[in-house]
Amino acid sequence: MTKEVRYQMLRPADLVQRREACPVVYIPIGTLEWHGLHNPVGADSLQAEYLAIRCAQIGGGLVFPPLYYGESRTESLMDSTAADHEEIAKLMHLDPQNFSPEKFIYSEAEQSENYIRLLAHILNEADTLGFEVGVIIAGHYPLIDYARAAALLHNKRRRRTGRMLAWATFDYLWLKDKYDFAGDHAGGWETSHCMAVDPSLVDLSALKPRGENLTGVMWAMDPHDANAEFGKKTFEESADIIVKETLHRLNNKALYDTHGMYLAEGLWKK
């Protein structure tokens, strides 16, 4: 069986072989957002894709191409809602007003609804391609709520069609009890992840000296302390649990196919 797990990279025979061996698809989503001067703006989707690939490599299945945009641009985004968003705009050589609600064709509520529809449509597409479990992996933490909403919409439809079961998750959810600094924005956690994806993506020399304010960066682990080894370790720890959750769904669909249980987690522990 081919070791490649990215759906778009495979020919039909290889796709069929991997899907029939494990009919699971991982769908990484993120955004294009400021992640400090030291990280790429696509950090969220890059992390989500890396994690999705590790899940498929460990437990089987395939990975859809990552989604980098389409989310609300006026809600929970550093470029538009951070306390220092004007400084971020200045560093990007942009007018801060570019991110004001008046600049967008759709209202904040409409943007959110459109994104949920987009994710639900992607799940529907995965369903038609023969998968039995579809897992959205959110790299941008606020997107988990939209992903869960889309998964619920899909699963309600599943009660009529009996097809793919959907779920949504993100990395640090599974490790927050182990690491009191799990999850941040462009701090040591995310920067370590970016370094694990590809060390060339990160330039720690772009950071100001320790103790100085870092525009658009929030952390409990200082980004100066980021390292690829830690990023890989936490990726592996998250992937291990996500695979357990996913395969339990694949092998026990009836447990999740009822009101209030569509997105239940931890059942594999029992």
Side-chain angles (χ1 to χ4, degrees):
M1 183 184 297
T2 177
K3 293 182 179 180
E4 176 63 72
V5 299
R6 292 171 295 173
Y7 194 92
Q8 72 273 22
M9 302 298 290
L10 294 174
R11 292 182 293 274
D14 293 323
L15 288 174
V16 170
Q17 185 181 39
R18 286 203 67 92
R19 190 195 67 222
E20 291 188 346
C22 183
V24 168
V25 62
Y26 295 96
I27 304 165
I29 64 172
T31 186
L32 297 173
E33 180 189 31
W34 175 271
H35 277 77
L37 290 169
H38 58 298
N39 285 317
V41 296
D44 290 333
S45 296
L46 288 164
Q47 293 174 79
E49 183 183 28
Y50 185 97
L51 180 56
I53 288 172
R54 285 302 296 138
C55 288
Q57 290 172 335
I58 294 168
L62 289 149
V63 178
F64 266 10
L67 183 63
Y68 278 87
Y69 35 67
E71 81 295 345
S72 172
R73 299 300 292 177
T74 58
E75 187 267 333
S76 297
L77 194 77
M78 297 301 294
D79 306 50
S80 57
T81 62
D84 51 359
H85 71 277
E86 292 189 0
E87 179 63 20
I88 291 173
K90 179 181 178 181
L91 289 167
M92 291 291 288
H93 296 190
L94 295 171
D95 184 341
Q97 291 304 309
N98 283 7
F99 302 97
S100 63
E102 295 75 21
K103 293 292 185 179
F104 293 90
I105 187 172
Y106 298 115
S107 68
E108 183 175 305
E110 289 172 327
Q111 289 182 55
S112 297
E113 291 168 0
N114 290 341
Y115 191 64
I116 292 171
R117 291 191 184 98
L118 173 59
L119 296 181
H121 178 70
I122 292 171
L123 289 170
N124 193 180
E125 181 175 347
D127 192 343
T128 65
L129 290 172
F131 294 101
E132 295 182 25
V133 176
V135 180
I136 299 176
I137 295 182
H140 181 57
Y141 304 147
L143 296 185
I144 187 61
D145 296 320
Y146 301 110
R148 285 170 172 165
L152 284 172
L153 285 175
H154 180 88
N155 289 340
K156 291 295 287 186
R157 180 174 177 271
R158 171 183 155 76
R159 288 185 66 82
R160 298 193 301 275
T161 64
R163 296 195 293 187
M164 190 182 80
L165 183 68
W167 178 51
T169 189
F170 58 120
D171 72 288
Y172 87 88
L173 172 69
W174 309 106
L175 304 179
K176 58 186 179 64
D177 292 334
K178 181 174 183 179
Y179 302 100
D180 58 7
F181 53 87
D184 62 24
H185 183 82
W189 185 270
E190 280 201 307
T191 302
S192 292
H193 279 179
C194 288
M195 295 174 79
V197 172
D198 182 350
S200 69
L201 294 174
V202 178
D203 180 10
L204 293 182
S205 70
L207 290 168
K208 295 178 182 178
R210 289 180 187 270
E212 292 191 21
N213 179 62
L214 302 178
T215 303
V217 180
M218 299 179 290
W219 76 89
M221 176 184 176
D222 194 310
H224 291 90
D225 299 323
N227 63 88
E229 291 72 25
F230 180 72
K232 290 178 181 178
K233 179 177 185 289
T234 52
F235 267 138
E236 292 296 320
E237 291 171 337
S238 293
D240 178 66
I241 299 174
I242 291 172
V243 167
K244 287 183 171 68
E245 287 278 348
T246 300
L247 295 184
H248 193 267
R249 283 168 164 73
L250 179 63
N251 297 318
N252 302 275
K253 295 189 190 72
L255 291 177
Y256 301 91
D257 196 12
T258 185
H259 302 301
M261 293 297 291
Y262 295 127
L263 303 183
E265 296 170 343
L267 300 185
W268 59 273
K269 298 178 182 179
K270 303 176 182 179

